[in-house]
C-alpha cells in the first residue's frame, strides 16, 4: 500500500511538472463521423497497462528487497523483448518480433501513463476513420517503422534496447495532423489556464457561463502536433549530424513514427479517402 501511494504521488507530481509549461492532450474535442466505439484503442491501453502490471507489479512486493528483485527481473525482460540493433541478427530469443513486443513495454508508471493519455486523445478519431482492425494494423506498422528508423538513422546507436509505445502513438498523431488539421484538442496546461483568464473574464462579464480558471484548454490540433514534430525533429537532426545520442529519449523513433503517418491513406475507409481527395470535410 505504501508503494502504491508513492507511485500515485509520483504520478501526480510528474503530471503537475509536465503540464505546467507544455500542454498535454487529454481528449479529442470533435465528433466522429462513423460513430464507432473506440474499443481497439481501449484494448491497446488495457494491454499496455496489464503488461506493465504483470511484469513489474511493484504493489505486489511489500519490502524493498523483493521490489528490487522485481525491477531486476523486469530489466532482464527489457533486454529480451526490447528492440535493438543486434537482436534481429541473434539466433536466440524472439528476434525480429521484438519490434512488436517492445511497443507494449514501458520504463515506469509515468512513461506508461503519458503514452496512454496521448493514445486516448488522438486514437479515437483515427480508429473511427480506419475501422478497428485497420487501425490496429496502422498502429503496429507505425511502431515498426519507428523502431527500425530509430536504429538505422542513429549513428551513435550503442545497442541499448528501446521500449515504449511512443513511436506507434507518434504515427497516430501524424495521421491526425494529416486527416484532421482543423480539429481542436482539449489539453491540460497550467500556464495556459492563466493566459486565458483575461478572455474568460471578459466573456463571463458578457453573460457567458465559462470558468475563469480552468486547467483544461482547447487548442488547435495542428498547433499541438506541429510543436510535437519540431520538438522531436531538432534533437533527431542533432543525433544524425553529430553522432551523439540525446539522453534516454529516442527522438528519432518519435520522428520516424510521426512520418510513418504518410501511409495512413492505405488504412482509412474508402469513402473517407474519397472525401479527402476531393477536398470535402472529413
Amino acid at each position: 500500500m505504501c508503494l502504491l501511494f508513492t507511485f500515485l504521488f509520483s504520478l501526480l507530481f510528474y503530471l503537475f511538472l509536465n503540464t505546467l509549461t507544455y500542454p498535454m492532450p487529454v481528449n479529442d474535442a470533435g465528433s466522429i463521423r462513423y460513430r464507432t466505439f473506440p474499443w481497439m484503442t481501449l484494448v491497446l491501453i488495457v494491454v499496455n497497462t496489464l503488461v506493465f502490471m504483470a511484469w513489474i507489479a511493484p504493489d505486489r512486493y511489500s519490502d524493498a528487497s523483493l521490489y528490487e528483485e522485481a525491477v531486476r527481473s523486469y530489466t532482464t525482460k527489457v533486454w529480451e523483448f526490447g528492440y535493438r540493433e543486434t537482436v534481429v541478427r541473434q539466433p536466440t530469443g524472439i528476434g525480429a518480433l521484438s519490434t512488436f513486443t517492445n511497443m507494449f513495454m514501458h520504463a515506469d508508471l509515468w512513461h506508461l501513463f503519458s503514452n496512454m493519455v496521448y493514445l486516448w486523445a488522438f486514437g479515437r478519431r483515427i480508429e473511427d476513420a480506419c475501422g478497428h482492425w485497420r487501425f490496429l494494423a496502422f498502429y503496429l506498422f507505425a511502431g515498426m517503422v519507428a523502431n527500425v528508423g530509430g536504429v538505422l538513422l542513429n549513428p551513435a546507436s550503442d545497442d541499448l534496447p528501446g521500449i515504449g509505445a511512443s513511436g506507434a502513438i507518434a504515427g497516430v498523431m501524424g495521421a491526425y495532423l494529416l486527416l484532421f488539421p482543423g480539429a481542436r484538442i482539449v489539453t491540460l496546461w497550467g500556464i495556459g489556464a492563466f493566459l486565458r483568464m483575461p478572455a474568460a473574464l471578459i466573456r463571463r462579464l458578457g453573460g457567458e457561463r465559462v470558468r475563469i480558471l480552468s486547467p483544461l484548454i482547447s487548442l488547435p490540433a495542428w498547433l499541438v502536433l506541429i510543436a510535437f514534430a519540431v520538438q522531436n525533429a531538432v534533437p533527431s537532426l542533432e543525433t544524425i549530424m553529430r553522432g551523439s545520442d540525446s539522453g534516454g529519449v529516442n527522438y528519432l523513433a518519435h520522428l520516424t513514427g510521426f512520418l510513418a503517418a504518410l501511409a495512413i491513406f492505405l488504412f482509412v475507409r474508402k469513402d473517407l479517402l474519397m472525401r479527402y481527395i476531393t477536398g470535402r470535410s472529413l
Side-chain angles (χ1 to χ4, degrees), residues 156-229:
S157 176
D158 49 8
D159 201 37
L160 292 175
I163 59 173
S166 52
I169 296 169
V172 173
M173 295 169 67
Y176 195 102
L177 178 61
L178 288 175
L179 297 178
F180 312 107
R184 297 187 71 85
I185 290 292
V186 178
T187 66
L188 190 62
W189 188 18
I191 291 180
F194 292 97
L195 294 177
R196 70 181 289 274
M197 281 182 63
L201 182 59
I202 293 173
R203 292 171 61 189
R204 185 69 173 269
L205 293 175
E208 294 186 46
R209 299 184 63 183
V210 295
R211 293 182 178 179
I212 296 178
L213 183 61
S214 172
L216 295 177
I217 310 297
S218 176
L219 294 174
W222 65 266
L223 182 64
V224 176
L225 293 168
I226 289 179
F228 172 83

Side-chain angles (χ1 to χ4, degrees), residues 46-57 74 101 104-106:
V46 169
V47 170
N48 276 278
T49 303
L50 289 178
V51 168
F52 180 80
M53 291 177 61
W55 277 7
I56 194 167
Y74 188 72
T101 57
F104 298 93
M105 304 179 67
H106 291 84

